[in-house]
Amino acid sequence: MADSIIRVRITKVAVDRMEPGQVLRDVELKGFGVRRQQDVPSYFLQRKINGRLRWFTIGQHGSPWTPDTARREAMRLLVTISEGVDPQQKRQQERDKPTLQESAGLFMASHGLKLKPRTREEYQRLFDLHIGPALGRILVADIKKADVARFHAAMAATPSGANFALAVLSKLMRWSEDMGYRPEHSNPCRGITKFRAAKRERFLNREEFGRLGLVLQHAEQSQSISLFAIAAIRLLILTGARLNEILTLQCRHVDVERRLLLLPDSKTGQKAIRLGDQATQVLAGLPRIKGNPFVIVGSREGGHLVNLQKPWRHIRSLAGLDDVRIHDLRHSFASVAAASGASLPMIGALLGHTQPQTTARYAHLASDPLQKLNDEVGASIAAAMAGKS
């Protein structure tokens, strides 16, 4: 049975009176109508696009669709069509746009493969604990600068962490632009002012090195801590290497004859770490475990030590160095090198810095031996002028 078509201004009264099989076509807005096939009337818009008659379903009568809201939606669709856009294709494109959470997953599956394992873990942790809960449900195309500013401000209690999260989010936004999920040059992280994180510089002095040495010696004698954990701490102190470089060090990376650690994949790429006599002795005193390629052996068969924080916290507590982080051992190595008269380029070479500005933090330490030399020269000249031998 064909539908019965009635031309009338579509109102709530007219819709409520509809019978099954009836179609109301609005006399004011061409193409707008409502059709009742069985129980619930359904609003629609009919319009020709490129010579073809198209039918766009707006929705069933009832919240949120009333004659007024459906009429406004029909007018919006007509504007879209007048701009040369197919509403159905536009709706499909909107459905295809990922949320930030979905975009982050795609980002980690593709770009994440290019990151080093530790960096990849940090990115994923940020997405899981901070970025995802705050912004994950928003379409990545709809993220605005104000959203990013609120997110960054909410992490004010941890300034460095907030700045790192902002940097990671910015990378995700740039990647989303490359993938076509956002317009080009629309990164909402651009222009967000970072927090001024206080620079923390902690260097061990001679007396503190002495206390630490005594505690390590006692731990070795009492065997209260794994000899591999103690060796790892000693190597960090004696080489200035990064924690992960020591923990993942393999036996094949150790060149005893040339006194080098040849790291194939450090943070800065392929890298050679020089070994002094003391560091060489530490390595020589470690047993090789059959079937385990690592120097610093862990509890899992064939694996390396994965957590040095627990033994380090115990060691530093006994030494009265509760404020000293593992990374401060690297800073302390550099400070001793500076106090010994090493230039900044030499310190940078020992630490594996690729950028001079990274080493610049030790500039004030490097000036100490110069000041000492200056004092000695001045005293010598003054003595000569006073007729003293």
Side-chain angles (χ1 to χ4, degrees):
M1 180 178 176
D3 290 336
S4 172
I5 299 175
I6 302 173
R7 298 189 180 278
V8 65
R9 187 182 189 284
I10 295 176
T11 62
K12 184 177 184 304
V13 173
V15 173
D16 288 340
R17 291 176 177 175
M18 290 183 69
E19 297 180 359
Q22 283 188 334
V23 175
L24 303 184
R25 289 191 175 273
D26 195 72
V27 294
E28 295 181 353
L29 185 60
K30 186 177 180 181
F32 175 50
V34 57
R35 177 182 184 183
R36 180 176 179 183
Q37 291 181 308
Q38 293 296 329
D39 296 329
V40 182
S42 179
Y43 297 98
F44 65 86
L45 176 71
Q46 272 190 327
R47 197 71 171 180
K48 278 189 177 182
I49 299 180
N50 298 326
R52 179 185 171 192
L53 189 63
R54 301 286 297 278
W55 182 294
F56 302 100
T57 300
I58 295 175
Q60 292 185 339
H61 178 64
S63 181
W65 299 116
T66 65
D68 289 338
T69 58
R71 185 185 299 277
R72 285 196 293 270
E73 176 64 11
M75 293 174 67
R76 188 190 67 80
L77 290 172
L78 288 171
V79 171
T80 300
I81 293 170
S82 70
E83 294 172 346
V85 178
D86 187 327
Q88 287 183 343
Q89 291 181 354
K90 186 175 181 181
R91 284 181 180 179
Q92 184 60 46
Q93 290 172 354
E94 290 293 331
R95 285 193 291 268
D96 291 342
K97 287 182 179 179
T99 62
L100 184 137
Q101 189 76 31
E102 293 166 340
S103 186
L106 295 170
F107 170 80
M108 291 301 294
S110 58
H111 180 76
L113 299 176
K114 303 174 185 178
L115 303 174
K116 294 186 180 301
R118 284 284 300 280
T119 305
R120 188 162 56 245
E121 289 175 9
E122 284 299 304
Y123 276 36
Q124 192 61 59
R125 182 186 65 81
L126 274 176
F127 287 135
D128 292 343
L129 299 181
H130 299 287
I131 298 175
L135 304 169
R137 294 184 179 181
I138 306 175
L139 292 179
V140 71
D142 293 343
I143 299 289
K144 302 293 190 297
K145 187 174 181 178
D147 300 318
V148 177
R150 282 192 294 269
F151 164 71
H152 187 241
M155 296 184 67
T158 55
S160 296
N163 292 342
F164 180 55
L166 179 65
V168 172
L169 183 59
S170 182
K171 286 189 177 182
L172 173 61
M173 292 296 115
R174 290 199 300 270
W175 179 85
S176 297
E177 290 180 20
D178 293 340
M179 295 298 104
Y181 301 146
R182 290 185 60 90
E184 290 187 7
H185 312 299
S186 66
N187 190 337
C189 300
R190 190 180 296 112
I192 300 294
T193 303
K194 293 182 178 180
F195 290 113
R196 293 185 62 182
K199 292 184 178 180
R200 185 186 186 280
E201 293 184 353
R202 178 67 165 91
F203 309 111
L204 295 179
N205 58 37
R206 188 176 185 84
E207 188 270 334
E208 289 173 330
F209 270 123
R211 298 205 312 260
L212 182 56
L214 286 175
V215 172
L216 289 172
Q217 185 178 2
H218 181 267
E220 287 172 332
Q221 294 171 349
S222 64
Q223 298 182 353
S224 58
I225 293 177
S226 160
L227 65 92
F228 292 106
I230 295 172
I233 293 172
R234 288 194 180 277
L235 288 173
L236 289 169
I237 294 170
L238 296 169
T239 65
R242 296 180 175 89
L243 174 61
N244 198 51
E245 291 171 344
I246 294 301
L247 293 186
T248 61
L249 179 66
Q250 296 190 25
C251 299
R252 62 188 177 90
H253 299 155
V254 181
D255 188 333
V256 177
E257 291 185 4
R258 291 193 291 167
R259 297 204 301 177
L260 292 174
L261 300 181
L262 300 173
L263 306 181
D265 189 29
S266 74
K267 181 179 178 181
T268 55
Q270 191 172 24
K271 174 182 175 182
I273 294 178
R274 299 179 183 277
L275 297 172
D277 292 336
Q278 295 76 14
T280 303
Q281 290 174 12
V282 172
L283 289 168
L286 285 175
R288 297 287 180 91
I289 307 300
K290 186 177 180 180
N292 193 315
F294 296 101
V295 173
I296 306 300
V297 176
S299 58
R300 293 183 61 180
E301 185 176 354
H304 62 78
L305 183 67
V306 294
N307 185 7
L308 192 61
Q309 294 296 339
K310 184 176 180 179
W312 170 246
R313 285 194 292 268
H314 179 66
I315 290 290
R316 74 179 185 183
S317 176
L318 293 175
L321 301 171
D322 292 304
D323 65 327
V324 178
R325 307 165 304 173
I326 287 180
H327 196 68
D328 292 329
L329 301 179
R330 177 172 166 85
H331 294 325
S332 298
F333 177 87
S335 72
V336 173
S340 300
S343 65
L344 289 181
M346 291 175 67
I347 295 172
L350 285 176
L351 298 179
H353 291 163
T354 58
Q355 301 296 328
Q357 58 265 33
T358 309
T359 318
R361 71 173 68 181
Y362 305 113
H364 66 289
L365 298 172
S367 66
D368 289 347
L370 292 177
Q371 184 61 51
K372 181 181 179 182
L373 176 61
N374 189 55
D375 291 341
E376 291 174 353
V377 171
S380 179
I381 293 172
M385 292 177 68
K388 299 179 181 178
S389 56

